[in-house]
Amino acid sequence: MCRIPGGLLLGLAAMTVALAAPLTVTSPDGSLAVSFSVDDGRPRYGVTRFGRDLIRPSALGFVIHGAPPLDRDFRVTAENRRTIDETWVQPWGEQAEIRCHCRELRIELTGGEPAARRLTLVFRVFDDGVGFRYEIPAQPGLDSLVIMDELTEFALAGDHRAWWIPAYQPERYEYLYRATSLSEMDRVHTPLTMETADGVCLCIHEAALTDYAGMTLARRAGHTLKADLVPWSDGVRVRATAPLVTPWRTLQVADTPGGLADSRLILNLNEPCRLDDVSWITPAKYVGVWWEMHLGTATWGSGPRHGATTANAKRYIDFAAGHGFGGVLVEGWNVGWDGEWIRNGDLFSFTRPYDDFDLEEVCRYAAENGVRLIGHHETAAGIANYEAQLEEAFALYERLGVRTVKTGYVGYGQQIRRVDEAGRVHHEWHHGQFMVRHYRKVVEAAARHHIMLDVHEPIKDTGIRRTWPNMMTREGARGQEYNAWGGDGGNPPDHTTILPFTRLLAGPMDFTPGIFDLHFPEARPGNRVNTTLAKQLALYVVLYSPLQMAADLPENYRARPDALRFIQDVPVDWRHSRVLHARIGDYVTCVRQDRHSEDWYLGSITDDQGRILDVPLVFLAPGRTYVAEIYRDGRACDWRTNPYDMEILERLVDGSTTLDLRLAPGGGQAIRFRPAKEEDIRRLKDE
Ligand code: NOJ
Ligand code: CA
C-alpha cells in the first residue's frame, strides 16, 4: 500500500443556495485566496497573495458542440467547504512523507432555464498554490460531450518574466527554454514558470491528466493566457461522456525558485495509489547500449556495427554487475530498425529479436549476474502497431524477468497516424487526447505485467505516478542526447540550471547524466558535452529521477574509477529533498537525504559563469560529525578549456559548518555526507 491511513480529513460542509456575492477560500496559512463570482451570469475566479492580485478575474467554462456554451447564464446553487489535512507516503520519490493540507471550495452552478444546465467548480487552496477543476455532471442533453474549447483564462497581474518552450512544434517538448516577458510569448507548453517584478515565483501547469487533451497556453491580449487544449485532427479538443471530471489547473506560488521545486502540489492533486502491491517497483541506476548509437559508432539497425549483439550486451552486464548497477538497457534489439525507422513505426516487432541478439540468453546471463535487462520499445509513433502487440510484448518481458521498459515515440509534429472505425486515416499530435489515452493504456498494461516505465517523447508528467507508481520517469525535454548530435552544438551550460524550475516541476526526468568523455572528435567533431566533469556528477542530485542512467561507455567509466565512485554511491530514492538556493538560468544547489541511510547528498551547478556559493550545512543532524566526500572543479577548471580538472577530497563537517562551493564556468560540485566513524575522525581531524 502506498497510502498511509491515519491522515486527517476534516469536513466542514455548508450548503447555501443562490449565492450572489463573491465566494472566497483561503489557504491554511491565509497567504493565498481564491475568489469566485458570477458576473452577469458568467463565472469568474481570481487569486490573490497577501491581498495583492496574482490572477485578476478570469474566465471559466466550455464551448460544447451542439449545445449552448457552458460559460454563461449561471447562478450559484450550492457551495460546500472542507479542509483536507492528510499525510501520505510515496513508495519511492524525492520525499518519503508528503502532507496534503488545503482548503476546498466546491461550487455548483445552474443556469439556462428551463433546460437547466449544471457545472461544478472545485478549488483547492494550499499554502504553496491553487488547483481547480471542472465537473460536468450527467444532465439531459449533455450525455456525450464534444468539447470544442475550454475557456479557462489566467489573467496574470503583470508582464512577468517567463521561461517557456513553444507548443505545436515538430520536436515536441525538446526545445531550449527561452526567457522573455509574457507579452513576447505565443503558444507555450506547461509547466510555465514566471517571476514577478517583486520576485514572486509562479508556475502554471496541470495535475491528473487522465482522459482529456493536454493543456497548452495561448497568449491573449497583454499578459492574459488562455487554456489551449491540444486538438484532435478534426479540431475537437475533448470527446467525453458526462459525468466528466477535468484535470486540475494549477498555479504554484513561492518566494523563491526553490520553493517551486520543493512544492508537492501536483502530487497532492492526484488520486491515491491504485496498486495493492508495489513491492516490485524499485528505483535503480542503469547503464546501457545507448550512447554509442547516439555517437554514431554503433547502429540500432542490423549490420556490422549493430550495437545490440549478445556479446555487447554481456559486456555491459559484466560492467553493471562489477559496479553495482541494477539494470542494463539494450536498444536496437528487435526487428524493425533497418532503413528509415523513424518513418516505419509500423514495422517494429516487439517480440522478435535480431538474429545476433539472443534475448533469452542475455536475460539468463543478466539474472546470473544479479542484473536485469531494461527492455526497449521504440514505436516511432506507430501507435496501432504497438497497441496490437502490447500484451504479448509485456508478457514476454515479464516471463524473462524484465522489470523496466523504456518506451519511445520519435515522430515529428502532427504526424501520429490514427485510423478511425471507418478506415479513414488521421494525423494527431503527441499531446492531444488520442495520445493521452494511449500513454495511459500503456501504463496500465505495464502495471498488469509488473513493469515500470521510462517514457521518452512522452506526454508531460502531471503527477500520475502517485496513482500509478510504475510510471517512473520520462524524458519530455532536451536531454543529454542533444550533446551528441544537436545541430546547435548541444545543450548550453545554463540548460540544466533551468530544467529544475520548468520541466522538472512536472515530475522526474530521465536526462541521462554521467558522460565522462566530454569530447568525441572522431565520432562527432561538431559536438561535445558543454560541462565540466564535476557538473556531470552534480546532475545526479540536481535532476531527480528514480531511474537514473550512467550514460557513458564502460571503457570511459573504467578510465575514471574515482569519479565513478560518486555515481555508484548516489541514491535514487530520497527521504527529503530541498533546494538551498537558486537563480533560474544561473545556478542551483540541491540537497537530498537518502531514504535508506543517514547520508545526505549535495549537487550544485552553474551556467557559463564561475561562482562561489556559501552553503551552511544546517540540514545535517545536529551534534553529529560527517565526512564530506567532495567532488569539485579544480582551480584551473573551465568547461571550455579544461573540463576534466576535478579534485576529490574528504573533510569533517557538521551542521555548523559553512562550505564555500567554488564552481568553475560551466561547472558543478557533488558531495556525499556520511556520518563519520571514529577512524575517519582520527584520520581527517588534523587536515
Ligand atoms: C529518442 C530517445 O530520447 C533516445 O533515448 C533513444 O535512444 C532514441 N529515441 C531511439 O529510441
Ligand atoms: Ca528524445
Side-chain angles (χ1 to χ4, degrees):
M1 285 290 290
C2 51
R3 189 181 179 202
I4 12 172
L8 260 187
L9 208 70
L10 302 175
L12 226 181
M15 288 265 278
T16 326
V17 174
L19 287 156
L23 302 173
T24 303
V25 53
T26 56
S27 56
D29 70 1
S31 63
L32 289 173
V34 168
S35 60
F36 175 88
S37 60
V38 177
D39 301 339
D40 221 6
R42 291 181 183 256
R44 295 265 181 279
Y45 80 100
V47 182
T48 59
R49 186 175 197 235
F50 297 109
R52 299 205 182 152
D53 281 344
L54 290 178
I55 306 272
R56 300 212 168 110
S58 294
L60 295 162
F62 298 93
V63 175
I64 312 271
H65 178 71
L70 218 46
D71 70 335
R72 62 196 66 179
D73 303 329
F74 279 122
R75 63 180 195 283
V76 175
T77 44
E79 88 169 269
N80 208 292
R81 292 168 186 271
R82 63 176 178 145
T83 297
I84 299 170
D85 191 357
E86 60 185 12
T87 298
W88 56 283
V89 174
Q90 298 204 82
W92 52 265
E94 66 280 65
Q95 182 179 328
E97 277 193 14
I98 295 183
R99 185 177 179 196
C100 173
H101 189 199
C102 66
R103 297 218 175 106
E104 183 185 275
L105 169 61
R106 233 185 125 75
I107 301 161
E108 289 176 27
L109 301 172
T110 309
E113 304 287 4
R117 291 167 314 131
R118 291 186 295 129
L119 178 65
T120 301
L121 274 147
V122 184
F123 291 94
R124 287 194 185 162
V125 188
F126 300 77
D127 293 344
D128 56 349
V130 172
F132 63 93
R133 74 178 178 197
Y134 303 89
E135 295 176 10
I136 304 183
Q139 51 196 293
L142 274 187
D143 330 332
S144 95
L145 293 164
V146 177
I147 297 180
M148 301 307 294
D149 203 5
E150 180 186 314
L151 301 172
T152 310
E153 282 186 350
F154 303 86
L156 289 147
D159 192 10
H160 309 318
R161 187 169 165 77
W163 286 263
W164 53 272
I165 49 173
Y168 302 104
Q169 298 298 313
E171 300 283 358
R172 308 156 307 268
Y173 303 122
E174 296 176 13
Y175 288 88
L176 292 175
Y177 281 83
R178 290 194 56 197
T180 70
S181 58
L182 285 175
S183 55
E184 290 169 79
M185 299 180 341
D186 180 15
R187 292 193 295 179
V188 301
H189 283 297
T190 75
L192 171 68
T193 301
M194 295 159 275
E195 210 171 277
T196 72
D198 301 332
V200 179
C201 296
L202 306 172
C203 178
I204 298 177
H205 187 45
E206 59 180 311
L209 172 57
T210 294
D211 184 4
Y212 203 79
M215 178 180 75
T216 70
L217 296 169
R219 192 175 64 81
R220 289 286 174 264
H223 28 83
T224 291
L225 308 178
K226 181 189 164 298
D228 184 44
L229 304 182
V230 176
W232 292 76
S233 49
D234 59 3
V236 169
R237 311 286 180 140
V238 177
R239 298 185 147 84
T241 46
L244 167 70
V245 176
T246 71
W248 296 92
R249 277 64 190 93
T250 60
L251 175 73
Q252 283 159 281
V253 186
D255 283 308
T256 58
L260 291 181
D262 295 344
S263 161
R264 309 288 170 242
L265 181 137
I266 300 293
L267 287 171
N268 276 330
L269 287 168
N270 273 269
E271 299 299 318
C273 181
R274 287 266 187 92
L275 305 175
D276 290 331
D277 173 19
V278 294
S279 59
W280 52 275
I281 301 180
T282 46
K285 283 171 286 186
Y286 69 100
V287 294
V289 181
W290 181 78
W291 188 237
E292 52 194 279
M293 275 86 92
H294 287 272
L295 289 179
T297 53
T299 58
W300 282 280
S302 60
R305 288 185 296 124
H306 188 208
T309 62
T310 305
N312 202 25
K314 287 188 173 180
R315 191 169 74 89
Y316 278 79
I317 291 169
D318 291 343
F319 176 77
H323 296 85
F325 291 96
V328 175
L329 167 73
V330 181
E331 296 196 357
W333 66 277
N334 56 323
V335 168
W337 291 88
D338 296 325
E340 281 202 74
W341 62 267
I342 294 177
R343 283 178 229 297
N344 291 327
D346 288 346
L347 300 183
F348 279 117
S349 164
F350 298 99
T351 49
R352 224 183 107 206
Y354 277 122
D355 289 344
D356 53 356
F357 186 75
D358 186 340
L359 176 63
E360 307 255 347
E361 169 59 12
V362 167
C363 290
R364 189 203 60 75
Y365 188 75
E368 188 180 281
N369 284 279
V371 172
R372 284 182 196 272
L373 177 73
I374 295 188
H376 188 233
H377 290 165
E378 172 58 62
T379 66
I383 302 306
N385 178 47
Y386 187 38
E387 289 196 355
Q389 300 182 54
L390 205 53
E391 278 301 318
E392 225 189 319
F394 281 145
L396 169 68
Y397 273 148
E398 187 181 20
R399 177 173 71 74
L400 294 172
V402 171
R403 287 269 178 81
T404 308
V405 172
K406 172 176 169 181
T407 57
Y409 295 87
V410 172
Y412 303 106
Q414 189 178 359
Q415 218 201 47
I416 294 176
R417 234 172 99 88
R418 172 176 68 88
V419 182
D420 68 16
E421 309 78 55
R424 285 183 302 253
V425 175
H426 306 267
H427 291 96
E428 306 293 347
W429 294 100
H430 275 71
H431 308 137
Q433 187 181 18
F434 172 70
M435 284 300 284
V436 169
R437 282 179 176 166
H438 167 77
Y439 288 116
R440 180 60 63 95
K441 186 174 184 172
V442 177
V443 172
E444 295 182 14
R448 284 197 297 279
H449 291 280
H450 293 155
I451 282 175
M452 298 171 262
L453 287 178
D454 168 5
V455 183
H456 279 233
E457 299 80 37
I459 181 66
K460 64 186 169 181
D461 200 344
T462 56
I464 67 153
R465 64 190 157 121
R466 178 173 178 189
T467 314
W468 296 99
N470 64 314
M471 181 54 256
M472 308 294 281
T473 190
R474 314 174 192 229
E475 186 190 40
R478 276 177 62 136
Q480 183 88 269
E481 61 187 16
Y482 278 77
N483 293 328
W485 42 253
D488 54 3
N491 301 322
D494 67 354
H495 183 57
T496 44
T497 68
I498 300 171
L499 288 177
F501 309 105
T502 50
R503 159 66 186 81
L504 277 106
L505 297 182
M509 176 175 178
D510 187 35
F511 180 85
T512 68
I515 297 299
F516 279 14
D517 186 22
L518 305 164
H519 302 100
F520 14 84
E522 268 109 65
R524 299 271 192 210
N527 282 79
R528 53 157 296 177
V529 176
N530 302 321
T531 72
T532 67
L533 179 59
K535 184 171 177 178
Q536 287 294 312
L537 300 182
L539 293 177
Y540 284 87
V541 185
V542 172
L543 301 176
Y544 170 62
S545 182
L547 300 173
Q548 202 64 286
M549 189 175 199
D552 211 337
L553 312 174
E555 52 270 36
N556 294 334
Y557 288 134
R558 286 205 172 93
R560 295 184 189 275
D562 295 354
L564 180 62
R565 183 79 253 157
F566 184 81
I567 302 181
Q568 292 175 263
D569 290 341
V570 69
V572 281
D573 194 10
W574 306 99
R575 191 177 306 157
H576 297 290
S577 288
R578 206 181 308 160
V579 173
L580 295 183
H581 50 224
R583 241 179 14 227
I584 306 174
D586 294 343
Y587 63 86
V588 45
T589 304
C590 292
V591 290
R592 303 186 194 269
Q593 187 183 28
D594 182 12
R595 184 150 173 176
H596 306 286
S597 76
E598 295 306 309
D599 294 358
W600 282 84
Y601 285 78
L602 176 149
S604 185
I605 58 171
T606 180
D607 61 357
D608 191 39
Q609 295 259 331
R611 316 176 185 268
I612 296 176
L613 301 172
D614 279 359
V615 175
L617 304 181
V618 287
F619 51 88
L620 296 177
R624 194 155 195 184
T625 303
Y626 292 77
V627 178
E629 299 173 358
I630 300 173
Y631 301 72
R632 69 183 184 199
D633 297 324
R635 289 269 146 185
C637 188
D638 185 310
W639 75 273
R640 272 203 182 80
T641 52
N642 195 10
Y644 299 107
D645 182 18
M646 187 171 83
E647 296 172 349
I648 302 176
L649 61 145
E650 288 184 320
R651 59 173 279 203
L652 294 176
V653 297
D654 60 33
S656 66
T657 311
T658 293
L659 292 181
D660 291 336
L661 307 184
R662 190 177 176 287
L663 311 179
Q669 190 161 146
I671 307 178
R672 174 189 183 192
F673 300 96
R674 60 175 175 80
K677 301 186 192 106
E678 270 181 30
E679 74 213 47
D680 296 316
I681 296 176
R682 270 197 306 276
R683 184 168 54 88
L684 294 167
K685 93 170 165 294
D686 300 325
E687 285 186 12

